Amino acid sequence: MHLLLFNIYDQVRSLGWNGAFTLLRDGVVLGSLYSLVALGYTMVYGILKLLNFAHGDVFMVGAFIGFGVLAQLGGPLAPALGLVPLLLVMFAVAMLGSGILGVVIERFAYRPLRNAPRIAPLISALGVVFFLESSVQLITNSTHSEYSTFPVFGPLFTPMFSVAGNPVTVVQVLIVLTAIGLMAALMFLVYRTKLGKAMRATSFDREAASMMGIDTDRVISATFFIGSVLAGAAGVMYGLYLSDTYFFVGFLYGLKAFTAAVVGGIGSIPGAMLGGVLVGVVESFAGGYAGGQWKDIVVFGILILFLLVRPTGLLGSHAIQKV
Amino acid sequence: MSETPGIPAPPEEPSEEQASRIGVDSWVAETERHGRGRGPLWQLARLWEYSPDPVKLLAFVALASTVPFWTNEGDLFVFGLFTLLYAALGLGLNVVVGFAGLLDLGYVAFFGIGAYTYAELSSSQYGIHWPAEATIPIAMAAAALVGVVLGFSARRLLGDYLAIVTLFLGQAFVFFTGVANPTVAGKGLTGGANGIPQLDPLTFFGYQLTSTKQLYFFLLIVVTLLATALYFANQSRTGRAWRALREDPLAAEVMSIPVNRLKILAFVFGAAVAGLCGTIYAAIETAAVSTNFSVSVLIIIYAVVILGGFGSIAGVFVGAIVINCTLEFLEPQNDHPEVKRWLFYGTIVLLIALLKPWFRPVLVLAGTIAFGFVVHAIVAATTAASWTSGVPVSGASWLARWAVIPTGSHGNFNNYLYIGLVVAVVCTASLKGWWRMIALVPTLYLTALVWENMLTQNGGITAFILFGAMLIGLMTVRPQGLLGTARVEIV
């Protein structure tokens, strides 16, 4: 163990400030993606008190839909559209597709279990995870789908500006800005619109909300749709950024986004954003300083620690169990 | 539909079956069930239901002990040995999930801890070759110890958080053994992705268990002992307290039941059983590899317990037989390639036959057969010969006249078929009455096409697709599983 700590110290010294900045940059970009996925977890938990394990796989399906659109639009080497319209179409289709997927999942896997014991929807969610993963594995023949081999995306990987000699590429800026934009839109939706009001009311007390004339089933569907749309957008950005997607990516990624949601305080929307960036940065630094093989264990360790010490997360409110 | 904007249409009157059965408890649900049904099958079910559990267990053991005498070595290994192993694993999980109602998603980690403990203590990894009578208790104790630590730390956490902590424990275990692989005494502790190979066979007091038959009988004894122990545990004070805890932890606490201690007890019990199974599994496989303890294995064990029914010991055996045979028949390399086709179509016809009244399944099946011939004729008349010239994998060539099976590559035809099937199933499930029956016809035909064109070639993936769908469907239609007791929420 002390050997490991020694290695970390060496790494910190050899990477220096430049290395630290690179790690921070990668962490923030990765964290923005985690935040987007974490929002879906947190919204569904807030409204249904349900851990939607399948959300990570919605993200994965989003990445594949984006890839599929790309393949349909004239194939890899000669896309029918220019870069910007191509990106817009990819995002639009992937977001819509993921949104519909989320609504279908809710309709068939969770809605029939509204009044079942708590354990039933969790098991149903596990079923959805395996169904989606295996389906995508079957369709893609267990191959990796690579975005980056397409020359059309070349401009995305050119540096936009540099900080003390460390380049920040266009795609990194794009990801962070899109994530911020989507979150701002979400905040507007939740706190400034009628639907958002209905969502907050439903999450506060579903029964009372339905007595006040709110169609809670529709509100829940809408919540799933919005969460899944964000996950779909994150999926496409993930594909663009890491230039690769794989059927198994959803599970691990979903777990980390889930960690983000718990760290931020599950049920809290700003918490999910904060938690996502935090988890991304920690993972990036753990990977850089302790070695790539430790980064996942570090992230999971943080989660377990957080659950034990502060189960309500950073920004979560204390839940008092009412009898 | 109401035309007035802003006022939603009044909800439909719930039917007799869908109406929420508030105030009906499990005892009432049980007696209601007894009143229904006629016929020889029902009589058989009643006989099964009314025979006491020890008789059921004896019947199973008697039947199971004849298996090695009428199967060959290979079949005994994949069907017999692994069914028993899944049964043992299911029994352990049943205590945690079925009796105490804790969602333990790190169960495979305990299974893995057992396997790796055995691997460290009985192999050439560190040159330690302890006999099984020493390693098995140590492995069980190690798994139980981790269970205690986790149980203590998670005891304050409410239901969902326990699921998360355990799920992450499982993930962390796979990463720790497969990727991190810290160096201890000059060697990777867990052998990394390759695992620890060449373990000793199980050796009890100098007597080695090497042949499949010996292992089979050893496992049969273990499973019998486990089931007996569980039977008595379930009848005991502790068992009753577990059930109370499962139904309502808060009420149980008010009744002065020591909730935390019982939770940890259930957790540790499950962990120890999983550790025991891990040692046996490692000895059977003669290796401990981290990928064998991933979530896919977890889902298989859960499928075993859930199919059989939470809290039902007999159900675990039924679940283990069904799930393991499904897995093995779907394996591409198994010796009975034609069996899986009959199992697949047989299961579908059986499910359709459950439709009421009696003429609906007949009409649907007849419609599907006719629909298939029509589609085949149209495709054959309008497209190139390569679209219909394929033959099904492994026999049944007459199927090629009914199902459209192209030869060679036809772009993404298979993928469109599969996506089409998923969409068709979703549509069928959202329709009602006769419309659903009509939609069933093309859905069934699509199912057959997907099966013949894609699934038969991808057995391992198919198994997980089916398990996933089964978990969702079972939770929706019959959450108590095949042999579980119906539970109705009391408000």
Side-chain angles (χ1 to χ4, degrees), chain A residues 103-149:
Chain A
V103 172
V104 170
I105 290 173
E106 191 273 328
R107 171 68 187 78
F108 288 100
Y110 303 141
R111 189 177 297 177
L113 306 174
R114 268 309 134 70
N115 297 318
R118 288 294 293 273
I119 210 165
L122 288 176
I123 288 165
S124 181
L126 275 185
V128 176
V129 168
F130 273 80
F131 182 77
L132 284 182
E133 267 178 26
S134 309
S135 297
V136 173
Q137 189 185 6
L138 186 73
I139 289 175
T140 61
N141 236 333
S142 322
T143 49
H144 288 257
S145 298
E146 290 177 15
Y147 278 69
S148 72
T149 46

Side-chain angles (χ1 to χ4, degrees), chain A residues 90-212:
Chain A
M90 277 168 68
F91 271 106
V93 177
M95 286 162 85
L96 193 67
S98 310
I100 293 171
L101 179 66
V103 172
V104 170
I105 290 173
E106 191 273 328
R107 171 68 187 78
F108 288 100
Y110 303 141
R111 189 177 297 177
L113 306 174
R114 268 309 134 70
N115 297 318
R118 288 294 293 273
I119 210 165
L122 288 176
I123 288 165
S124 181
L126 275 185
V128 176
V129 168
F130 273 80
F131 182 77
L132 284 182
E133 267 178 26
S134 309
S135 297
V136 173
Q137 189 185 6
L138 186 73
I139 289 175
T140 61
N141 236 333
S142 322
T143 49
H144 288 257
S145 298
E146 290 177 15
Y147 278 69
S148 72
T149 46
F150 307 130
V152 62
F153 291 134
L156 284 182
F157 292 91
T158 50
M160 196 167 177
F161 58 87
S162 33
V163 177
N166 296 295
V168 178
T169 57
V170 177
V171 69
Q172 289 169 333
V173 176
L174 181 82
I175 287 174
V176 174
L177 285 185
T178 315
I180 291 174
L182 285 173
M183 286 176 208
L186 181 71
M187 290 296 258
F188 177 80
L189 184 93
V190 172
Y191 291 105
R192 289 282 180 275
T193 63
K194 214 171 165 186
L195 175 66
K197 207 175 204 175
M199 281 162 71
R200 279 179 290 144
T202 309
S203 95
F204 195 74
D205 189 331
R206 180 147 41 96
E207 246 171 64
S210 77
M211 283 173 199
M212 296 297 128

Side-chain angles (χ1 to χ4, degrees), chain B residues 131-137 201-209 218 222 280:
Chain B
E133 71 263 17
T135 44
I136 286 184
L202 284 172
T203 313
F204 288 96
F205 306 103
Y207 181 74
Q208 272 199 356
L209 304 175
F218 172 66
V222 169
I280 298 169

Side-chain angles (χ1 to χ4, degrees), chain A residues 113 118 134-135 300 307-308, chain B residues 153 156 160-161 168 418 475:
Chain A
L113 306 174
R118 288 294 293 273
S134 309
S135 297
F300 296 157
L307 283 180
L308 299 181
Chain B
S153 57
R156 286 186 318 143
D160 294 343
Y161 282 101
F168 279 73
Y418 184 77
M475 280 299 117

Side-chain angles (χ1 to χ4, degrees), chain B residues 10 24 53 137 139 175 183 192 202 269 302 316 327 344 346 362 373 394 430 435 460:
Chain B
V24 183
D53 285 346
F175 279 111
T183 309
L202 284 172
F269 196 101
Y302 262 90
V316 168
L327 268 177
F344 184 77
V362 176
F373 282 117
S394 65
S430 24
W435 288 111

Side-chain angles (χ1 to χ4, degrees), chain B residues 48 50-62 224 227-228 231-232 235 313-314:
Chain B
W48 171 261
Y50 282 118
S51 54
D53 285 346
V55 174
K56 289 182 200 169
L57 184 66
L58 268 179
F60 172 78
V61 172
T224 313
T228 316
Y231 173 73
F232 284 119
Q235 304 288 318
I313 297 175

